[in-house]
Amino acid sequence: MQQLLDTAEKIRTMEIRGAGRIAEAASAALRDYVLDLKVTNIKDFNKKVDEAANILIQTRPTAVSLPNAVQITKRHTSEDVAGAREDILHNADVFLKQAGEALERMGKIGAKRIHDGDVIMTHCNSHAALSVISTAFKQGKDISVIATESRPRRQGFITIRELNDYGIPTTLIVDSAVRYCMKEVDTVIVGADAITVNGALVNKVGTSQLAHAAHEARKNVLSVAETFKFSPNTILGDMIDIEERAADEVIDQEILAELPNVKVKNPAFDITPAEYIDMIITEVGAFPPQMAYTIIKEHLGWELSHMG
Ligand code: RUB
């Protein structure tokens, strides 16, 4: 259990971050937990697995990849502990393998939408978006990137490091310079924490202003998202919970303490409506956001909505 708690803590404190990485870490943590779980009857086994699953799911509320990965990993129909354990280990191995392959496939599919000479704007740090950008670059396309800082946690610094390592010409901007710089941009490429049934994109706060500015300037907006980032529960009417993080990520607590009339609001994500997104690149193809329902139905299955 201690190992699983450590992983949960790393997700909560964002040592492990990004919707894809969170999902992979949770699946692996559940696999390792089950491997060491010493119970003999299936009822106790299921109870323990559900408890562990809930600990992982509660670490961060927005990335749907997290509950999806946990549900995909823990589902089994076995009546005995050995069979259930085997199923869960198998599920985790398949999920982790497919997640790795998905990143590569999305890179190849998305790179087709990037042309020689393109200027790409990206936001935050998305492994999926970077897979598309780096694949296009490795194909020999002459591209450059404008990367936002992504306050308050500055994940943009991780992005510029990765782009620099690839050798891709990169310009760092502050978040408020997005609209000013949009005239230079050909395509906006971002990741996703969740895609809802109506094709809305939930991603790092600030994504919606990028998409809005791109829409206004008639530039393309691509979101790159594995199918496990689509939300089955939104079919049942559920809303995506937007994580609110601590004030001290935004302002020094000592300064804030001197300002009794001031409070801080620090939402970690925002919502971009489908009308501002041209295409969602998944591992099974490039789709308009209006096809979210079909992706959920065909690739996640209705049963996810009724579990957990
Ligand atoms: C990260 C973020 C990323 C998505 C997709 O937010 O918003 O764009 O999670 O990332 P945080 P990936 O830093 O708060 O986790 O493509 O790597 O799954």
Side-chain angles (χ1 to χ4, degrees), residues 84-100:
R85 179 178 285 127
E86 207 176 299
D87 281 353
I88 292 175
L89 300 184
H90 175 75
N91 293 343
D93 287 345
V94 171
F95 179 76
L96 293 170
K97 186 168 172 281
Q98 286 179 348

Side-chain angles (χ1 to χ4, degrees), residues 63-191:
V64 168
S65 54
L66 176 59
N68 280 351
V70 166
Q71 300 294 5
I72 289 167
T73 305
K74 84 179 177 102
R75 66 183 160 194
H76 72 85
T77 49
S78 187
E79 294 296 324
D80 63 273
V81 171
R85 179 178 285 127
E86 207 176 299
D87 281 353
I88 292 175
L89 300 184
H90 175 75
N91 293 343
D93 287 345
V94 171
F95 179 76
L96 293 170
K97 186 168 172 281
Q98 286 179 348
E101 288 167 358
L103 212 54
E104 208 174 304
R105 276 194 62 74
M106 293 187 300
K108 285 193 183 137
I109 294 170
K112 292 184 193 165
R113 314 293 299 209
I114 299 182
H115 307 105
D116 216 26
D118 275 359
V119 177
I120 295 154
M121 184 180 277
T122 191
H123 185 52
C124 192
N125 175 256
S126 157
H127 300 89
L130 283 172
S131 174
V132 170
I133 295 168
S134 62
T135 303
F137 185 72
K138 283 180 205 152
Q139 288 170 347
K141 289 177 187 162
D142 175 22
I143 56 169
S144 62
V145 177
I146 299 176
T148 60
E149 181 189 17
S150 312
R151 277 272 295 156
R153 296 288 293 236
R154 296 194 165 98
Q155 290 92 332
F157 289 4
I158 308 171
T159 297
I160 59 169
R161 236 172 234 292
E162 288 187 36
L163 291 168
N164 180 70
D165 290 349
Y166 284 121
I168 300 175
T170 300
T171 306
L172 174 69
I173 60 169
V174 296
D175 301 321
S176 42
V178 157
R179 186 164 177 263
Y180 177 76
C181 295
M182 193 53 76
K183 55 185 173 296
E184 297 164 37
V185 172
D186 297 290
T187 300
V188 170
I189 305 183
V190 292

Side-chain angles (χ1 to χ4, degrees), residues 71 74 232-233 235-236 238 300-308:
Q71 300 294 5
K74 84 179 177 102
N233 285 345
I235 292 181
L236 302 179
D238 284 2
L300 289 163
W302 283 93
E303 77 271 27
L304 279 176
S305 317
H306 304 291
M307 293 177 72

Side-chain angles (χ1 to χ4, degrees), residues 58 69 98 110 166 229 266 268 297:
Q58 277 157 22
Q98 286 179 348
Y166 284 121
K229 290 176 183 162
N266 183 20
K297 201 158 175 274

Side-chain angles (χ1 to χ4, degrees), residues 3-42:
Q3 229 181 334
L4 184 130
L5 292 175
D6 289 348
T7 301
E9 185 59 10
K10 283 182 185 163
I11 296 173
R12 203 185 57 75
T13 58
M14 292 176 62
E15 189 179 328
I16 299 172
R17 49 147 299 282
R21 293 287 153 98
I22 294 173
E24 290 175 52
S27 180
L30 209 52
R31 175 198 59 197
D32 296 346
Y33 174 70
V34 160
L35 205 54
D36 285 342
L37 189 55
K38 290 178 184 51
V39 288
T40 45
N41 84 64
I42 190 71

